[in-house]
Amino acid sequence: MHTMMAHVIPPLRTRFIAAVFTFIALWGCALSITRYSIPEEMEEGSFVANLATDLGLDVRSLVQRSAKLDVIHSKNYLDINKETGELLIREKIDRESICMTKTTSCFLKMDVILENPIRIFNIELEIMDINDNAPVFRRRTMHLDISEATPPGERFSLTNAVDADVGANSIKTYYLSESKYFNIDIQTGSDGSKYVDLVLNGHLDREEHAVHNLILTAVDGGVPPRSGTASIVINVLDINDNAPLFSQPVFSLNVSENSAAGTVVMTLNATDLDEGTNAQLIYSYTLYTSEKTQELFSLDPNSGEIKVKGVIDYEESQSFEMHIQAQDGGANPKSGHCKVTVFVTDLNDNYPEVTIKSVKSALTEDVSVGTLIAVVSVSDRDSGDNGKVELTLNGQEYLPFLLNKSSDGYFELLVSKPLDREIISKYDITLRVTDKGSPPLSENETITLEILDVNDNAPAFSQSFYTIHVVENNQPGALLTSLSAFDPDLNENQYLVYFIMEKVIVNTSMSMLFSINPENGDLYALKTFDYEREREFLFHIEARDSGVPPLSSNVTVHIIILDQNDNTPLIVSPWRAQGSVVEEVIPRSTDKGHLITKVIAIDADSEQNARVTYQLLQISDTTLFSLDQYNGEIRTTRMFSYRDPRQQRLVIVAKDNGDPALSATVTIKISTVEHVMSFSETTELPLEYDFFTDLNLYLVIGLGAVSFLLLITILVIIVLKCQKPKPKAMKMPPPNRNSVISRNSMISQRSSTIADSTLISSDAYWYSLFLAETRKGQVVVRQPIIPKGAGYFVSSIPRSIGPSETTDSRASTLEQEPRRELP
């Protein structure tokens, strides 16, 4: 019987395997069993042998006789190729899974069965071992506990490694990683197995090396060799051979005073190289620690934490010493010692103190600079910078005071500037003492200083000049105004008395015209003023305090009398007896625009109150006459016709511009004649004579009064010359159509239409002389009787000029037209 080697055998070993197979085949033929040998782990489809050739069978008969392979007691790892007769690997074969026991030989038995006829061939397939398994330790990690007191030479058994391979491929030896404390001892058993022991070579010290980690390696004898490893963890067991040890024998540290209870000062950390109970430490004070220190500081026996327990005050004690021991928990306990020195750090916990001595609570405002107010002392219980203090004045730049250091810790509070009670009457002087600690502490002390008043301020009026307007016809005793002065002083220095400074004007004292309340300065009028007589007053009022010596001031008061519309216009032309009707005679041939007469009214008031306008109140024929509302001229608006009545009646009203307006009326009866009539002279001349005689007297009085008051050259003196008519009948020029003259007309030779005359007197009111112009330029003057004591300012109305002011100190001017004798 022939044998064949599998084609998967490595080329280098082909000859060796072929020889083995040949030997087996020859030996199998002798026993009638066909044997083959193949290495394990051949790839699927690998060639094992050609059964047709080896069994002497025709390849075609394998199919015809339905050849099949029957593996005995095993899985079918092989298959027959019926076309070629070859025996092939169907599935990888693992020798260790087929042969569980560690035997040198391992066979796989099978039968080749042919039918028609049935024939069975016995075949044995030897599975040869290859080194495909590495050594494996049953325990990958081995733990050993060895006391550090174990003597050298002590042995410790280790778990062996196993290798599924057999023969030369099984475990050959062991190796141990490098260690100065351990080595191994390898022994061989009766079955060839290798055993290993761990041997201690030196003394162990747990404190130096508590754990030893070693690697044990098992190596087999295969080519190439395979190996497996296991870890050996050796824990060195402790014995109490070390005393506790502090990091340093003496500790020095700082603790701030007033630290809160429970504040950790430090934590002691003594070390013991042992472990377990041998390293469990208990901290405690020794007998060398004072009871006071133990009252202020607590020591935790387990953690070694030192905490503040009491109140630490730098001012009482600046340092503390604590002697502390740490003892382990071994059977024979060992202990270590240290000293803790605690230095107390001063905190700025004491406020500086201010003490005020010899203080003055009040000063008069006229004290001199440098006056002592108080003596101040400062102190601080702290030390160093915390005990250095500085004293300042709050707002010193605004206060009239200063601090002068007189000695160490003592200061003088002095007046540095003049005091004025009227500006500040009381000072709250705040002294602030501050130490130089961090953070700085400060304390305030306030001194209240009252400034006493002296009479150093004169009364002051709110205005230097008062102008007071008073409407005439005021009630006697009427309040004009209140003049109040202010005195910033106090008490009697502030109480004011008001009075009028005496002044005599035209023999009249101001105190007869005005009165002032001495307590409150209310100014009253003592009489009723008449604008037409008094226009203004100028005097002084003085306010005086009650201090010693008293101070005073005065103010100028200007009283201006305002006009009131209290005078009714007075019609002075055409002249008429009281309540009579004025009669005017004109020819019927009068042309259009002929001046019939001129109504003139005067008003003693001033300005708008004296502005007089004229209106027609009643008229018999509105188409025949016209009235100029400003100058009062009555003129014809057309020529008379035969239908017009011979007598016309006009009612003229003269009204001023006051509020309310006042008025006067005059009735004029106009008669028309066919020719000019001669006037009787006997009735005119006595009246004209009397009028001019009185007028001359008043002119002399007025001119004399003005000359006496002004005492200077009169700016404008216009002398009015009144024309006296002869005591005989006047010869009238022949009448004509354009020159018929009414006996009540006023004819002026002046070229101006209106001549204004003003007569001013302080003793009586005067009427002005009014002149009326006619076309012929000849004058007949008529003047009504003037009541004495009445003063009037007369002006013609065309320019609407009001009355001018007059006072006792102003000049009176009378302007007259020279009289002209009528031919």
Side-chain angles (χ1 to χ4, degrees), residues 469-473 531 534-535 560-564 606:
H469 296 85
V470 180
V471 179
E472 65 173 329
N473 302 319
Y531 174 83
E534 302 106 352
R535 301 293 178 88
I560 297 177
I561 309 301
L562 300 180
D563 182 41
Q564 191 179 44
S606 65

Side-chain angles (χ1 to χ4, degrees), residues 757-772:
S757 299
T758 303
L759 180 60
I760 302 173
S761 174
S762 60
D763 296 326
Y765 294 101
W766 292 86
Y767 286 120
S768 298
L769 181 64
F770 295 91
L771 304 177

